[in-house]
Structures are given as structure tokens and as C-alpha cells.
Amino acid sequence: MHFLDQAKIFIRSGAGGPGAVSFRREKFIEYGGPDGGNGGKGGDIIFEAVPGLNTLIDFRYTQHFRAPRGKGGSGSNRTGAGGDDLVIRVPVGTQLISDDDNETVLADFTVPGQQQVFLKGGDGGRGNLTYKTSTNRAPRQHGPGWPSEEMWVWLRLKLLADAGLVGLPNAGKSTFINSVSNAKAKVGDYPFTTVRPQLGVVSHRDREFVVADIPGLIEGAADGAGIGDRFLGHIERCRVLLHLVDATGDDPIEAYRIVREELSAYGGGLDEKSEVLALNKVDAIDAKTRTKLIKALKKESGGDPFILSGATREGLPEVLDALVDAIGPVGPSPESVQTSEADEEKPWSPL
């Protein structure tokens, strides 16, 4: 399945149905009179967060969503049928962004099963029966029904993960996530082998948590260099960041500074999150160089960096222990949300 983390869609609620103009004409009834019914209410536009999905690819092919309008009223004081609500299903972590400025967050879906009525359908128009008074006994006016609401909105997905991986390209993030989870991230000896976020579920110490791997950052990413910083939004919701520094790089200390500066330039509180720092690829350097780099990183970061090798799995248990401690207690998992058998049998659709 292709990864897509933003999409623009058009949504329109249903208009209300018109009221009816009708008069009663029945045999053996001495007096007639108005009996036009009201129109039906239009359908609402409702967004629902569903678990088990981490892409907006379906909205690339379905971009227009219109709820049905209400039916018109009829004689014998019969109210028209209301239009069905249109439920649009989005992944957990989806934000609805205003199309006017591309910044205002209109809704944020962070809990599986969360629903929100986003656009309300129009109320039905009044039938001529409701206009009857003592001085207006045969009214012929009726309400046309309230209009619908419509707008363009952006859907922006920010993946929900417990821990996020950051570092320069070729820092070993993909190798790490492949070593500790069931992810199948691409690994190569060239920069930007990861071009889209990857998620992996890690099982450690009778706990499960989700790790997100994003494309590597380079100096100037906040200004659009490399792939830029657009994928940093996927780690905004992480409880802890695992910062991997390549021990075989030209200047590991400068690499650490570059990533920290880009996190600070992006904002969103990323530079204030808990950080687990690890010197990666230590299997490729000698003991003397390892000790020197550990001491320099400790001085630069103010903390104790871990030693790590995703290839040989050296230091993996200690790093995972630190991540579990930093993540802390976990809330209800998406699997705790019950789905009906009918929903499980249906093929996936945003509707």
C-alpha cells in the first residue's frame, strides 16, 4: 500500500427538503384545510477515526463527498425522509486543516472510534400546515428547506507512535527498526534509502510499543534541503525520540548538532521531548575511537549516550529498556476497540 500523508477533499452536507403545499379533500369530511408536511433534514458529514490504517491513499482517488439531501414533504401531514449521514473514515492521527490558510486545525482525531459531526445537514422546510392561523386558514406558502454547507479541507496524517527515530541519512535507523520489529524498511549504503515514514511494533519486557522511522535530516532541512522536514510531523506525537549518531561518520559530534538544530528550527516542541541518544555502528570502529566518541557525545549532549550496533545487535536490550522507561505507561491499544463482524467483512473504503 502506498503511503500518503496529506490529501485535499471537498465535502458537502445535505440540503433540507422543501415543505409541501397540500389541502385535505376527503369524502364525508365537512371542512377541508391545509395538510402539507415538512421537508426532511439533510444528511450530516461525519468523520470517524478507525484503527489499523496509516495512509490517506484512498483519498487520492475519492476526493468529493456529498451527503444526500432530505426529501420533500407531502400531503396528509407527512414529513419527508431525512438524508442519510455520510461517515468518512480516516486513520487515527488525522487532522483536518482549513484550506484558507493551510494552518488552522479544524479537527484532530487521536482516539480510535472518535467521531465528530463536521458539517450539519440543512433542516427541512415547513409545510403549509404550519402556516395555518385563525386569520390565514388556507396558506399557500411553504419553506424551501435550509441550504447545505460545503467546503474544501486538507487531511493531514500524523502517525501515532510511541518512539521516533531521528538522525542524519545513513545513521542506521532502518537497520535498527528492522532489528527490533517486524518492519521491512529498505537498507542501502547511500543516503535517503528511506523516503517515507515506516512503522514497526516492538515487543520488549512484556510490552509492545510502536516505533516510527522517518527520512534522515540534513543541514538546512527546515528550509527544504534534502527531503526537508515535512515528515517531522509524524514524530510530533511521540513520547520519546531515539537519536542515532553514526560512529563511522566524518564528524559524529557535528552530526548530533545538526539534527538538534533542525528539530529546534522545526518547532512543535520536538527539541523539548525526551531523548535517548545512541552511538550507532560501533562494531565498525575500534575501542579507542569508541571511548573518545562516547566522551565527546556526553559532553555535547549532557547525558550518557548508549553504544549500539543494529547489525550485531550489540546494545539493543539497553536501548530498548531506556525507550520503555521513557515511554512509561501506555493507554488502551487500538486492538481494544471492538469492531462488528459486518465491518470486518466489508472491504476498506473511506465511506
Side-chain angles (χ1 to χ4, degrees):
M1 179 180 291
H2 295 289
F3 179 81
L4 187 70
D5 61 352
Q6 58 184 17
K8 185 179 180 180
I9 63 172
F10 173 81
I11 52 178
R12 177 192 292 168
S13 60
V21 175
S22 175
F23 293 90
R24 182 160 56 94
R25 294 289 187 271
E26 297 180 38
K27 191 176 183 180
F28 304 122
I29 294 181
E30 185 174 359
Y31 301 104
D35 67 346
N38 299 331
K41 177 183 176 298
D44 298 334
I45 294 289
I46 301 175
F47 283 90
E48 179 183 7
V50 296
L53 193 70
N54 57 9
T55 177
L56 297 173
I57 188 65
D58 296 284
F59 296 95
R60 170 173 289 180
Y61 309 108
T62 306
Q63 298 174 338
H64 294 79
F65 300 86
R66 300 179 177 90
R69 65 177 300 158
K71 303 296 184 182
S74 57
S76 300
N77 195 26
R78 288 177 292 186
T79 301
D84 295 331
D85 295 335
L86 182 62
V87 180
I88 303 175
R89 298 178 176 88
V90 296
V92 179
T94 300
Q95 292 181 329
L96 269 64
I97 310 295
S98 171
D99 184 44
D100 296 332
D101 55 11
N102 289 342
E103 292 182 359
T104 304
V105 178
L106 305 175
D108 195 0
F109 298 90
T110 59
V111 180
Q114 176 183 348
Q115 278 194 351
Q116 180 174 334
V117 177
F118 194 71
L119 295 182
K120 292 189 65 67
D123 292 329
R126 295 166 55 189
N128 68 333
L129 177 61
T130 64
Y131 289 94
K132 179 182 177 182
T133 65
S134 59
T135 57
N136 186 13
R137 298 185 177 184
R140 294 185 178 274
Q141 64 263 46
H142 72 287
W146 289 88
S148 60
E149 298 179 355
E150 63 181 47
M151 63 188 308
W152 285 90
V153 294
W154 280 94
L155 302 180
R156 189 171 299 166
L157 176 60
K158 293 185 177 180
L159 296 176
L160 294 182
D162 300 301
L165 298 181
V166 295
L168 291 183
N170 270 13
K173 300 186 300 297
S174 297
T175 301
F176 175 83
I177 198 173
N178 288 345
S179 300
V180 300
S181 72
N182 57 352
K184 303 296 182 185
K186 183 179 180 180
V187 177
D189 58 352
Y190 54 91
F192 298 116
T193 52
T194 300
V195 295
R196 62 184 180 87
Q198 298 276 354
L199 288 179
V201 179
V202 181
S203 297
H204 183 68
R205 277 179 18 190
D206 298 326
R207 282 277 304 276
E208 284 191 352
F209 59 93
V210 179
V211 176
D213 174 23
I214 64 170
L217 300 172
I218 64 173
E219 188 172 7
D223 299 322
I227 297 182
D229 62 359
R230 59 163 296 200
F231 291 119
L232 282 178
H234 294 291
I235 60 174
E236 282 187 24
R237 306 179 193 269
C238 294
R239 304 187 188 185
V240 60
L241 300 181
L242 174 57
H243 188 164
L244 298 184
V245 177
D246 185 2
T248 63
D250 295 335
D251 190 346
I253 308 305
E254 180 63 19
Y256 171 79
R257 291 197 196 102
I258 289 175
V259 173
R260 293 300 303 177
E261 289 172 359
E262 295 304 323
L263 294 179
S264 178
Y266 176 83
L270 292 186
D271 57 335
E272 300 174 0
K273 287 185 177 294
S274 300
E275 181 185 68
V276 175
L277 177 61
L279 183 65
N280 198 17
K281 303 184 183 180
V282 294
D283 58 304
I285 60 176
D286 55 54
K288 183 179 179 180
T289 305
R290 177 189 300 190
T291 303
K292 180 180 177 181
L293 289 178
I294 288 292
K295 185 179 297 184
L297 271 179
K298 183 176 181 179
K299 180 179 179 181
E300 179 68 27
S301 65
D304 293 321
F306 292 86
I307 58 172
L308 177 66
S309 172
T312 64
R313 304 184 66 85
E314 180 184 357
L316 275 182
E318 291 78 11
V319 171
L320 294 179
D321 286 343
L323 291 178
V324 169
D325 293 339
I327 291 171
V330 294
S333 63
E335 290 75 11
S336 63
V337 179
Q338 299 295 324
T339 56
S340 63
E341 295 182 359
D343 290 339
E344 293 178 353
E345 294 175 356
K346 294 179 181 178
W348 162 253
S349 170
L351 299 178

